[in-house]
Amino acid sequence: MAPGAAAQFDTAALQARQALQGKAGPMALVTNAKVFGIACFACLGGLLYGYNQGVFSGVLAMNNFNAHMGVWTKDQTNKGWLTSILELGAWVGTIYSGFLAEIFSRKYAILMNTVVFIIGVVIQATAVTSAGHSSILAGRFITGMGVGSLSMIVPMYNAECAPPEVRGALVGLQQLAITTGIMFSFWIDYGTNYIGGTGDTQVEAAWLVPLCLQLAPALLLGGGILFMPFSPRWLEHHGREAEARKTLASLRGLSQDHELIELEYAEIKAQSLFEKRTVAEHFPKLADGSASSTIKLQFVAVASLFKSKPMLRRVGLATVTMFFQQWTGINAILYYAPQIFQGLGLGGNTISLLATGVVGIVMWLATFPAVMYVDKIGRKPILVSGAIGMGVCHLIVAGIMATYQHDWPAHVGAGWVAVVMVWIFVIFFGYSWGPCAWIIIAEIWPISQRPYGIALGASSNWMNNFIVGQVTPDMFTGITYGTFILFGLLIMMGGAFIWFFFPETKGLSLEEMDVLFGSVGVAAADAERMREINREVGLDNAVRHGSIAAGLEKGGLDEKADRMDSE
């Protein structure tokens, strides 16, 4: 098949799919209620992630915790370590998560990481003893491993279960779950801060309760995931074809012989066969399906991300997008919000915690528009508008802080304006870079590279998250308002990056993403291999004859005739 013919086929296949699938938008979630429900449950992993991001900011502001930790909360660098060690653990989690998800399935990888998370929380709880900061450091590192891995596997699981018309919304649920966890953690911190009093009479339960409460959703996720379906794309890629087709039909609420199921399953099968046969041709010694070969192939898949221009384009898009997401400054605010608000003139620990609670509410509310409309509006305009809004907010806060930081008591109104600008900044993040960055890294990869590609993007996220968490206390002490200028300039650069380098991906199936990035038919051998597979599964005939069912049936007959001729 010539490159032009391949492009015509891909365009025709896309048009056939769009003619059968429903419209994108809020009503599409209603018609895919089962997928929506499963995604909501899986996003308990995002809830755990968000809760961990938010809970420690309030704990750091509690008198009893500071007294218990001693020098570890008085020194800004040590405070950075107590906070950022979670992100370092999460970075480690993203490194192994791709292999775990590919070998054991997305479903069981979620279960395994939930267990890791629970172990980390239990260790943190022992900080109430003389172990103190050692338990916090070790526990938060292990907890981070769990949430880091879940942050990559849950969006992957949702993306592979979702139909294209709601895929962005369902993956965006990850961010909604994260913001829900953040909101819960802020207000729980605000409430438990009163246990024993807010001063020297405060007791250990004030900070121990919010740390231990995260065990409840973790246990629910670990037990419930056993009853959730496997990803149909993972099943197909691992030779469980009948189960993949049955699961796909069940997820869509349609019969297995429905025309849309026929087309979507054929696309999944074609892409899986293409990648398997490409691996078999280039690495024949690893194509025997044994356990050792499967493990070795995982490293081959990682290496393949850097061996072609289309894949390098994906690598750059995923890692740079996550770099800019973290350097928006969002986690600097989430981790140190009470201290930031005190630095903007809000006096008293209780008032700063209250202002922090508002951050959780506005971020949670701002996430809803993205979840509902990202598949209708598209990723690009949402990301660019969010970047501009966040950048402007940062620069305004920097200007107010530079002018009045040495005399806040005489300029209380200016301090509150700066606080409101922080709240508005959070709104811009909540509807844009929060959900859309995760949508991008979940949907741009081929099947065989997807676990490793998402892990690479999430790895960039967590490493930059770790750096931000580590340096923020010293930045606010050293360059004060310059911190906001730095964040503002960087996110505006991020908006420019998206504008010039990101191709819009809304409405495309995961398999059709290869067409967008130029990965299909780049070489003559690949084009020929894809043509044979499309004919084998019936896609070629389906598109040419204008009837999916008839085309797939004819494709099956042609394949049978070819086998008889060869005999």
Side-chain angles (χ1 to χ4, degrees):
M1 181 183 291
Q8 290 174 4
F9 171 79
D10 292 321
T11 301
L14 176 59
Q15 290 174 346
R17 157 175 288 287
Q18 290 175 336
L20 288 169
Q21 72 186 30
K23 293 183 178 179
M27 291 307 297
L29 295 175
V30 177
T31 57
N32 292 277
K34 184 172 184 178
V35 174
F36 180 65
I38 292 171
C40 286
F41 182 83
C43 280
L44 281 173
L47 184 76
L48 297 176
Y49 168 17
Y51 191 93
N52 266 272
Q53 279 192 304
V55 72
F56 209 63
S57 66
V59 168
L60 280 174
M62 294 181 185
N63 287 333
N64 186 271
F65 183 79
N66 285 305
H68 202 74
M69 292 296 119
V71 68
W72 277 84
T73 54
K74 292 180 175 65
D75 180 81
Q76 295 302 310
T77 301
N78 286 342
K79 182 185 290 186
W81 273 109
L82 285 175
T83 303
S84 63
I85 194 70
L86 176 85
E87 284 68 53
L88 188 61
W91 178 74
V92 173
T94 61
I95 298 300
Y96 71 70
S97 59
F99 308 124
L100 207 65
E102 186 62 24
I103 295 173
F104 296 104
S105 81
R106 288 59 163 142
K107 173 179 173 176
Y108 289 139
I110 291 174
L111 174 62
M112 293 175 186
N113 283 292
T114 302
V115 173
V116 171
F117 177 90
I118 291 172
I119 293 172
V121 173
V122 172
I123 293 175
Q124 285 183 70
T126 64
V128 74
T129 67
S130 59
H133 71 273
S134 297
S135 291
I136 293 294
L137 289 170
R140 279 178 64 80
F141 180 83
I142 295 172
T143 299
M145 291 171 60
V147 296
S149 191
L150 287 170
S151 74
M152 136 343 187
I153 297 171
V154 169
M156 182 199 311
Y157 178 77
N158 285 344
E160 293 184 357
C161 288
E165 65 269 22
V166 299
R167 190 184 65 241
L170 291 187
V171 177
L173 279 175
Q174 170 79 351
Q175 181 62 25
L176 180 59
I178 291 170
T179 56
T180 301
I182 292 170
M183 181 180 66
F184 285 170
S185 71
F186 284 166
W187 286 103
I188 288 171
D189 281 344
Y190 177 74
T192 62
N193 184 55
Y194 286 95
I195 298 179
T198 59
D200 294 336
T201 60
Q202 192 177 65
V203 296
E204 286 86 353
W207 54 271
L208 194 60
V209 168
L211 290 181
C212 292
L213 278 177
Q214 56 197 319
L215 287 172
L219 291 170
L220 181 61
L221 176 62
I225 196 65
L226 295 172
F227 302 97
M228 297 296 106
F230 289 96
S231 157
R233 288 173 171 84
W234 182 86
L235 289 170
E236 176 64 32
H237 206 60
H238 286 261
R240 296 160 66 172
E241 297 183 4
E243 191 176 351
R245 190 185 186 98
K246 181 179 179 181
T247 301
L248 182 65
S250 176
L251 286 169
R252 303 295 179 262
L254 300 170
S255 63
Q256 294 189 42
D257 59 355
H258 190 279
E259 203 166 10
L260 182 57
I261 299 300
E262 295 278 8
L263 176 59
E264 188 171 356
Y265 177 74
E267 285 184 320
I268 292 171
K269 184 174 183 178
Q271 185 66 26
S272 179
L273 285 172
F274 173 78
E275 290 161 0
K276 285 180 179 179
R277 292 178 187 178
T278 300
V279 169
E281 179 173 311
H282 293 114
F283 308 99
K285 293 182 179 179
L286 300 179
D288 59 5
S290 65
S292 61
S293 294
T294 300
I295 293 173
K296 292 175 183 177
L297 277 173
Q298 315 313 308
F299 293 94
V300 171
V302 171
S304 71
L305 298 179
F306 299 88
K307 290 185 177 180
S308 69
K309 186 176 179 180
M311 293 308 299
L312 278 174
R313 187 182 175 193
R314 286 172 159 114
V315 169
L317 185 61
T319 56
V320 176
T321 297
M322 281 307 188
F323 167 84
F324 283 121
Q325 190 211 45
Q326 285 307 304
W327 286 94
T328 61
I330 183 62
N331 283 321
I333 290 173
L334 295 181
Y335 297 151
Y336 303 106
Q339 299 164 67
I340 291 173
F341 289 134
Q342 287 179 8
L344 293 176
L346 296 191
N349 181 43
T350 302
I351 294 178
S352 65
L353 283 174
L354 183 62
T356 301
V358 176
V359 168
I361 291 176
V362 296
M363 178 180 283
W364 183 71
L365 292 174
T367 307
F368 279 97
V371 172
M372 301 297 284
Y373 296 105
V374 67
D375 286 308
K376 179 172 284 188
I377 298 174
R379 288 68 163 140
K380 195 166 187 172
I382 291 176
L383 287 167
V384 172
S385 64
I388 295 172
M390 285 187 286
V392 170
C393 289
H394 273 310
L395 296 178
I396 292 175
V397 172
I400 294 173
M401 195 171 181
T403 306
Y404 302 112
Q405 65 178 334
H406 299 298
D407 192 17
W408 287 120
H411 302 91
V412 175
W416 275 107
V417 170
V419 170
V420 171
M421 293 311 300
V422 172
W423 291 341
I424 295 174
F425 158 83
V426 170
I427 292 173
F428 278 112
F429 179 86
Y431 83 78
S432 60
W433 285 75
C436 287
W438 289 105
I439 291 171
I440 288 173
I441 71 164
E443 70 182 3
I444 63 175
W445 305 97
I447 294 175
S448 62
Q449 280 87 14
R450 189 172 301 129
Y452 322 105
I454 296 177
L456 190 64
S459 175
S460 172
N461 175 282
W462 284 110
M463 180 51 68
N464 284 285
N465 198 334
F466 165 69
I467 295 170
V468 170
Q470 178 62 46
V471 304
T472 294
D474 289 318
M475 286 173 64
F476 277 123
T477 301
I479 62 175
T480 61
Y481 65 86
T483 305
F484 291 99
I485 294 176
L486 176 63
F487 288 144
L489 294 177
L490 282 173
I491 188 51
M492 287 188 172
M493 290 172 59
F497 170 77
I498 293 296
W499 180 263
F500 290 108
F501 297 105
F502 173 64
E504 184 57 69
T505 56
K506 70 170 183 176
L508 300 179
S509 74
L510 296 171
E511 286 67 40
E512 288 154 357
M513 213 65 69
D514 274 354
V515 180
L516 184 65
F517 286 95
S519 296
V520 178
V522 173
D526 282 354
E528 177 63 22
R529 187 180 303 115
M530 182 57 80
R531 186 190 70 82
E532 291 297 330
I533 292 171
N534 285 334
R535 180 170 178 268
E536 179 181 328
V537 302
L539 272 175
D540 199 358
N541 283 318
V543 172
R544 283 192 285 111
H545 289 286
S547 171
I548 305 301
L552 294 173
E553 182 180 359
K554 189 175 189 303
L557 293 173
D558 289 345
E559 181 186 356
K560 182 177 180 180
D562 288 343
R563 287 198 303 267
M564 293 177 63
D565 291 341
S566 64
E567 294 172 357

